[in-house]
Each structure stands twice: as C-alpha cells, then as structure tokens.
C-alpha cells in the first residue's frame, strides 16, 4: 500500500482530525440527514451504543461505506485487510488486548513512523494509548471493523500463550517422573496442564481445525492442527510434558490412565468461552510415548442436509431415488476425513424416521438424531459390528446404517440384509467407485451376493476452495497441463480442439492465513450398478466391469468435477490435480 496518509502524529500529538464528531462528518458529506442524526443520537443516549453501530444496524450506512467516509474526511487511506500483505512481526508490536480494545492493527513501518489502521479513527483516547504503547510516530489509516476479526484470530492465535504454558508445565513437572505425583498434578483444575489444554482447544477452534494431533517425537513434543484437510504445526515443546497431557486427556475421557501399552478410545465435552466442543479421543502407544489425536465436533451444530453438501443436481436426484428403494446396499467411499459419515447422516435425514425403523451401528456414534436407534460397538465386551448387525436384523428395521464395512463377516451379513428387504447404507475405504465391488470380493464376499445387493457406490473428496480475497490469474505448470490432457483424453476430447483453461491461485492473505485457500467443498462421483455391471461382478470379470463402468462415469468422475471447480475459479489446478491423483 503506497498511499501516504496525512493524518500522521507523534506519540504526544494525536491527529487534529480526530476531534471531529462522526455525526457532523456524515451530515456534512450528505450520507445521512440532520433528522436521521438526531434520531440516532437519541437512540445512542438510550442504549449507550456507539453512533456508527446504531447507523449500521438501522441500515442507514454500511460498515465499509462508513470507513470510506471517515478516510476521506481525515485524508487518510482506507485499507482492505482482505488483500493487504500484513507482516506478523509488525502486527504483534501492538499486544492483543489493546489491539482488540481499540480495534487497531499495525500495517507498515516507514522509517521512524508506524502506519496504524483503526476501525474508529475518531477515538482520540485509543489513538493516544496506542501511541504510548508503541512509543513511535504514528500515521493513521482506516479499516472496516468486521475485517479485523480474522486478522486478530490469525496473528494473535494462542501460540505464544501455549508455548508459555508448556514451559510452565515443564517447570512444574521438573525432572520428576513419579507416577503418583504426575497423576495428582494433572487432576488439579488450575494446573498448567489444564490451562495448556484449554488454550490448545481455543486455538484450534479459532483456526477452524477439525483435529488436534499431540505427537511425541525424538527429543520433542509436536502439537499440530488439521485445517482444511492439511496439518499445521502449532508448537513444539519439551518431550517431558507429553505424559502429563496424555494423562489429563485420559482423565477427561474416563479412560484407564495406567494403561499405556494399548490403544484407547473415548470422548468428552469441553466448554470454551463461546461454545461447547464434543471431542473424540484416540490414544496409541508410539516409540517415544503415547500419540493422541482428537476429532473436534461442535456440540449442537445442525446436521447438514443432502442439498447442502454440494452434490451436483443430477447426482442428487438419482441418489434420492436410490434412498427411496426398499432394499439394496449403497456404499460411500473415500479416505478418512472426506465427509463420508456426514453424507450418510444427511441421507438418513431424508428419510421419515416416524414411519421408518432406522438402526445405526457405529464406532463411535458421531451424530445423535431423534427417532433413530443408535448403537455403538464395543470390542472390549465383544459387541462387534457383526454381532450388533445380527441383532439389528431381529429388530424389524427398514433401514440400517453400518459405520464401516471392516471385515468379511460384517460385509456378508450386510449383503444378506440388503438382499432380504432392507436398505443398508455403509462406508468402505476404497479410493474410487470402480474398485469398490472388487474390494468386497477381496474381503471374501460371494460374487452373486455383491452383484445382487450392491445398488450404487458414491466416492467423495473434500476439495480446498481458493481464497476469494487473494485469488489471481495462474499460469498452468507443465505437470498441471499434463493432468489436463489426461482428463480430456479420458473423456475423448481432442486436445487440438480443447478450450484453454483460465485458472486462478491464491496469493495468500489475512483471510486465508497465508495459505491461498479458504474452506472446502465436496466433490462426488456415483456409479450405479446396472445389469451389465452386475453380470460382470458375478462372473468376477474385472475387465468387462471396468469397461462398462468407465462408460457410465464419462464426464462425471472426481477429476471432471474438480476440473469444473477450476473453470469456475473456485479452486486451483494444483488442488484439483492433488485430489484426482489421490483418487486414481
């Protein structure tokens, strides 16, 4: 940003323009009338709210328009934080508490002057306090208040606080390895380990993380968050604090704190400042200590419906028709974290639980829905998928959801259920729709049962969406061009007649935490098993099945769907290629 603001000041000389009153400025620039200002001031006296907020809530002015008005009046630049290249070391010159209090952020350093953007540049007291804290000459810029939240959440994430708490915990534990002392320490609510975990959860929710990984490595402990499908390192700490974290988490989940040699699974809820999290906990012994992975689920969050998942209209229509059948098996495939369970529950939400007996068999139960009979398997007491599934068939169900086809026995019972008048929904870990029937055969399922029962297979992935705030034109690399040629060749498109692909990529900005991506969208392919495919499965003829299945999927594969998002400038070629190569 090259504009030089005229509203510069030294620490003891705030800008003269800050003495202006907001209402007078807005009337002077014909943004609101004198009568509207009078009404707003009366409301301000009654409610105590700021004048700008009252005018915005009354739809008399937008937040961004207000910022532009102030910028013009003060002859200061207006800054769009969504695209401005912020530097973490400059932002953190102003501590988090005053930054949030005065709604201010440090943008640039120019010789001996700092450019500071404020949402309320008429706040003379705030400007004074910032000047005293920074002990530098200040120049003023104006920002829209709503854009500051993402900046604060990114740059004032709890990394420093977490590192400080980790050091406090390390000091608290010292060199002692006494098991009794350690257990007593982690049980204290005010102990550093409790505050450290609370901060880890707070940071994860700010970052929009789906999972938290606590991983002992050689000589250090690594804590990472999974954001938009990829892991980001939060911090590294002394390895000695790893047992204390594992112990505390086990206590919270009601697990056996003395058992460190075997994996354990549990769940608990944690209350944060503004929400409650359901946490699924998994521990596993590793070479350097217990590895802990936690899946974070927002408690009470609304279950998404099928039409909200981003299914293509043609696929959505056919999938709903399949759910209306009385029998058969429908499988959803994809890697861990691709949204399979969300799709299955969205499918169940389409059914009438008042007139339909629905039983779910899961490990663990991820969503709780009214009207369903939900069972969580427990291998410790031999309550396995297959055993629960057998019992479920004696409960007169219409629809059965099996969390995962894990073994041959479960697969065979599920197939028999689908043959004998039940609609069975489940997941299977395969990379695409084409390989799914033969994965069932490899598990030992009889070919005639797979051919008779399997109605459809849906494969899905979660594709990272390009950040709309920093997307810019992108020139395809040789590898991306090769992938494009491959996708076109599969669909029989002549490369000479192919339309050039204009793609974008994200530069990285405050809105996307510098990644170039913001959020994820689902991509799907669905293969319906027709009589020709069923015959090929029954004969165990992979060649004939693949030939027919590829014809059916032409133009509707995961690669085709991801390329469609590239053409719509909703994702990048690199991301489409990554997802598609994973599915091949």
């Amino acid at each position: 940003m090259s504009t030089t603001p005229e509203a510069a000041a030294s620490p003891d000389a705030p800008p003269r323009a800050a003495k202006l009153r907001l209402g007078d400025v807005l009337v002077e620039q014909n943004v609101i009338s004198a009568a509207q200002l009078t009404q707003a001031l009366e409301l301000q006296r009654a409610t105590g709210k700021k004048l700008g907020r009252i005018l915005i809530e009354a739809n008399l002015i937008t937040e961004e328009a207000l910022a532009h008005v102030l910028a013009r009046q003060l002859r200061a630049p207006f800054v769009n934080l969504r695209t401005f290249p912020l530097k973490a070391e400059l932002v953190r010159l102003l501590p988090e508490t005053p930054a949030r209090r005065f709604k201010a952020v440090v943008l640039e350093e120019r010789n001996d002057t700092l450019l500071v953007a404020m949402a309320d540049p008429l706040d003379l007291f705030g400007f004074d306090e910032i000047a005293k804290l920074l002990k530098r000459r200040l120049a003023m810029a104006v920002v829209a208040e709503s854009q500051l939240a993402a900046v604060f959440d990114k740059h004032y994430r709890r990394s420093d606080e977490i590192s400080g708490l980790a050091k406090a915990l390390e000091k608290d534990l010292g060199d002692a390895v006494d098991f009794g002392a350690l257990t007593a320490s982690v049980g204290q609510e005010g102990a550093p380990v409790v505050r450290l975990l609370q901060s880890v959860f707070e940071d994860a929710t700010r970052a929009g993380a789906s999972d938290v990984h606590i991983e002992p490595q050689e000589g250090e402990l690594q804590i990472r968050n999974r954001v938009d499908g990829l892991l980001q390192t939060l911090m590294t700490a002394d390895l000695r604090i790893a047992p204390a974290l594992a112990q505390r988490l086990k206590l919270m989940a009601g697990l056996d704190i003395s058992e460190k040699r075997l994996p354990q699974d549990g769940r608990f809820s944690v209350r944060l400042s503004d929400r409650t999290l359901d946490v699924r906990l998994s521990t596993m012994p590793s070479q350097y200590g217990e590895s802990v992975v936690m899946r974070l689920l927002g408690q009470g969050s609304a279950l998404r419906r099928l039409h909200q998942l981003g299914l293509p209209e043609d696929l959505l229509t056919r999938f709903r028709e399949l759910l209306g059948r009385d029998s058969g098996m429908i499988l959803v495939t994809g890697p861990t974290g691709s949204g399979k369970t969300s799709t299955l529950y969205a499918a169940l939400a389409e059914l009438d639980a008042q007139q339909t007996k629905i039983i779910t068999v899961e490990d663990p139960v991820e969503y709780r829905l009214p009207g369903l009979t939900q069972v969580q398997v427990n291998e410790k007491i031999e309550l396995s998928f297959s055993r629960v599934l057998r019992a479920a068939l004696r409960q007169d169900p219409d629809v059965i959801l099996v969390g995962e086809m894990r073994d041959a026995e479960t697969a065979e019972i599920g197939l028999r259920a689908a043959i004998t008048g039940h609609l069975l929904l489940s997941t299977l870990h395969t990379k695409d729709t084409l390989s799914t029937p033969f994965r069932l055969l490899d598990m030992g399922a009889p070919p005639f049962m797979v051919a008779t029962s399997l109605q459809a297979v849906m494969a899905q992935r979660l594709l990272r969406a390009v950040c709309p705030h920093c997307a810019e034109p992108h020139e395809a690399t040789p590898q991306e061009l090769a992938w494009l040629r491959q996708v076109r060749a599969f669909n029989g498109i002549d490369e000479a007649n192919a339309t050039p692909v204009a793609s974008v990529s994200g530069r990285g900005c405050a809105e996307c935490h510098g990644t170039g991506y913001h959020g994820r969208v689902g991509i799907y392919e669905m293969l319906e098993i027709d009589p020709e495919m069923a015959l090929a499965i029954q004969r165990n003829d992979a060649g004939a099945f693949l030939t027919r299945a590829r014809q059916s999927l032409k133009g509707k594969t995961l690669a085709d769907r991801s390329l469609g998002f590239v053409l719509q400038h909703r994702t990048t070629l690199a991301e489409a290629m990554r997802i598609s190569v994973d599915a091949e």
Side-chain angles (χ1 to χ4, degrees):
M1 218 237 357
S2 59
T3 306
T4 303
E6 297 181 26
S10 64
D12 55 349
R16 178 180 56 81
K19 297 178 183 179
L20 292 170
R21 293 190 303 178
L22 176 59
D24 294 338
V25 171
L26 295 174
V27 172
E28 181 183 325
Q29 296 194 22
N30 296 318
V31 176
I32 61 173
S33 67
Q36 288 172 330
L37 173 60
T38 300
Q39 292 176 355
L41 288 173
E42 290 176 357
L43 189 57
Q44 182 186 34
R45 283 190 289 271
T47 63
K49 291 183 180 180
K50 288 193 173 184
L51 180 62
R53 179 52 51 191
I54 290 172
L55 294 172
I56 290 169
E57 290 177 355
N59 294 320
L60 295 175
I61 189 171
T62 65
E63 189 177 84
E64 192 162 318
L66 175 62
H68 277 289
V69 167
L70 290 171
R72 285 196 301 271
Q73 185 68 28
L74 297 172
R75 298 190 301 277
F78 170 79
V79 176
N80 186 347
L81 291 179
R82 294 190 179 101
T83 57
F84 190 89
L86 291 168
K87 296 180 180 178
E89 63 273 16
L90 289 179
V91 172
R92 291 187 181 182
L93 288 176
L94 186 62
E96 178 178 8
T97 299
R100 290 185 183 273
R101 179 184 176 189
F102 302 123
K103 300 180 179 62
V105 61
V106 181
L107 301 177
E108 285 183 351
E109 184 175 29
R110 300 170 176 175
N111 299 321
D112 64 339
T113 301
L114 291 175
L115 178 63
V116 176
M118 296 181 68
D120 184 6
L122 302 184
D123 183 358
L124 181 60
F125 174 77
F127 191 87
D128 266 339
E129 290 298 306
I130 294 169
K132 290 175 184 176
L133 285 168
L134 296 177
K135 298 181 174 63
R136 299 278 291 276
R137 284 183 56 83
L138 300 185
M140 178 71 71
V142 186
V143 294
E145 183 178 340
S146 61
Q147 294 184 6
L148 285 168
V151 172
F152 292 153
D153 287 348
K154 175 189 176 183
H155 291 281
Y156 295 117
R157 285 180 59 185
R158 295 175 175 257
S159 304
D160 294 339
E161 178 187 339
I162 290 169
S163 296
L165 288 170
K167 286 182 171 59
L169 176 57
E170 179 188 339
K171 183 179 179 181
D172 190 44
L173 294 174
D175 295 323
V177 293
D178 179 67
F179 178 80
L182 176 61
T183 303
S185 172
V186 300
Q188 297 170 3
E189 291 303 317
V193 64
V194 178
R195 290 184 284 124
L196 172 58
L197 287 172
Q198 187 79 6
S199 294
V200 168
F201 287 128
E202 291 276 6
D203 180 84
T205 55
R206 284 189 180 186
S210 59
D211 304 84
V212 176
H213 294 238
I214 301 176
E215 305 162 315
Q217 305 292 317
E218 185 177 9
E220 67 180 19
L221 176 68
Q222 180 175 249
I223 300 180
R224 298 191 290 174
N225 292 333
R226 187 177 294 279
V227 181
D228 287 341
L230 297 181
L231 288 169
Q232 300 177 359
T233 299
L234 173 62
M235 62 162 287
T236 56
D238 193 293
L239 185 60
R240 288 180 296 175
I241 74 171
L245 294 179
Q247 294 283 355
R248 176 63 191 180
L249 290 167
K250 285 182 176 180
L251 283 172
M252 295 170 71
L255 302 179
D256 184 353
I257 62 174
S258 65
E259 180 56 77
K260 303 179 182 179
R261 301 165 300 168
L262 296 173
Q264 296 189 67
D265 296 299
R267 68 188 304 159
F268 59 89
S269 295
V270 57
R271 179 66 188 172
L272 304 179
S273 57
D274 59 346
R275 65 186 300 191
T276 299
L277 283 181
D278 275 338
V279 181
R280 277 175 36 200
L281 176 76
S282 171
T283 71
M284 183 176 68
S286 68
Q287 185 177 2
Y288 301 109
E290 285 186 282
S291 173
V292 180
V293 175
M294 293 174 284
R295 171 64 57 87
L296 310 181
L297 302 167
Q299 194 177 86
S301 56
L303 180 69
R304 299 179 74 183
R305 305 299 293 259
L306 276 179
H307 67 274
Q308 298 172 319
L309 297 179
L311 292 164
E313 197 61 39
D314 59 324
L315 193 153
L316 176 61
T317 300
R318 289 298 305 140
F319 191 47
R320 280 176 166 157
E321 290 177 3
L322 289 167
L323 292 174
R325 295 183 180 180
D326 294 331
S327 63
M329 176 185 286
I330 300 173
L331 295 177
V332 180
T333 75
T336 300
S338 59
K340 300 186 298 295
T341 303
S342 297
T343 298
L344 288 178
Y345 268 94
L348 291 184
E350 295 281 313
L351 306 174
D352 185 355
Q354 294 297 319
Q355 298 184 11
T356 306
K357 174 76 170 183
I358 303 174
I359 299 177
T360 74
V361 187
E362 305 169 75
D363 184 21
V365 174
E366 291 195 24
Y367 298 94
R368 296 173 175 87
L369 291 182
L372 275 62
T373 302
Q374 297 178 268
V375 184
Q376 180 164 320
V377 302
N378 187 344
E379 297 290 350
K380 293 180 181 178
I381 59 172
E382 298 182 357
L383 191 65
S384 62
F385 271 106
S386 56
R387 186 170 185 177
V388 176
L389 189 50
R390 282 197 191 92
L393 291 174
R394 296 192 290 271
Q395 293 282 308
D396 187 30
D398 298 296
V399 180
I400 304 173
L401 184 150
V402 180
E404 182 185 346
M405 289 292 171
R406 289 189 177 178
D407 51 55
E409 186 177 12
T410 303
E412 185 166 343
I413 297 172
L415 289 166
R416 289 189 185 280
I419 289 176
T420 56
H422 306 88
L423 180 63
L424 190 134
L425 309 177
S426 188
T427 70
L428 192 64
H429 281 283
T430 57
K431 61 184 181 179
D432 56 17
T433 56
L434 299 178
S435 59
T436 300
F438 294 92
R439 171 69 181 128
L440 290 172
L441 297 182
D442 289 342
M443 292 171 67
F448 81 92
M449 292 182 66
V450 177
T452 306
S453 303
L454 189 60
Q455 300 292 312
V457 182
M458 182 187 292
Q460 67 181 74
R461 298 288 189 278
L462 291 177
L463 188 76
R464 288 185 298 167
V466 70
C467 176
H469 305 293
C470 63
E472 57 187 16
H474 169 74
E475 186 174 346
T477 66
Q479 292 85 355
E480 291 165 350
L481 290 172
W483 173 77
L484 275 171
R485 287 193 292 269
Q486 182 180 355
V487 175
R488 287 165 172 165
F490 181 85
N491 291 315
I493 299 175
D494 185 358
E495 193 65 28
N497 300 322
T499 304
V501 173
S503 64
V504 298
S505 63
R507 183 180 63 254
C509 65
E511 289 287 321
C512 61
H513 305 294
T515 64
Y517 296 95
H518 187 73
R520 291 188 290 178
V521 293
I523 57 170
Y524 308 85
E525 69 177 35
M526 188 171 75
L527 178 66
E528 290 188 64
I529 307 301
D530 62 18
E532 190 175 335
M533 290 183 223
L535 183 59
I537 294 171
Q538 187 167 345
R539 293 174 176 174
N540 207 351
D541 187 346
F545 174 81
L546 291 175
T547 298
R548 174 63 188 136
R550 283 172 177 153
Q551 290 174 352
S552 177
L553 285 175
K554 186 169 290 187
K556 301 176 182 178
T557 64
L558 290 173
D560 295 316
R561 305 290 190 190
S562 60
L563 180 56
F565 280 109
V566 171
L567 297 175
Q568 296 169 26
H569 292 178
R570 293 181 62 186
T571 193
T572 66
L573 272 170
E575 178 68 1
M577 185 171 70
R578 181 182 71 85
I579 290 292
S580 300
V581 170
D582 170 62
E584 290 176 357

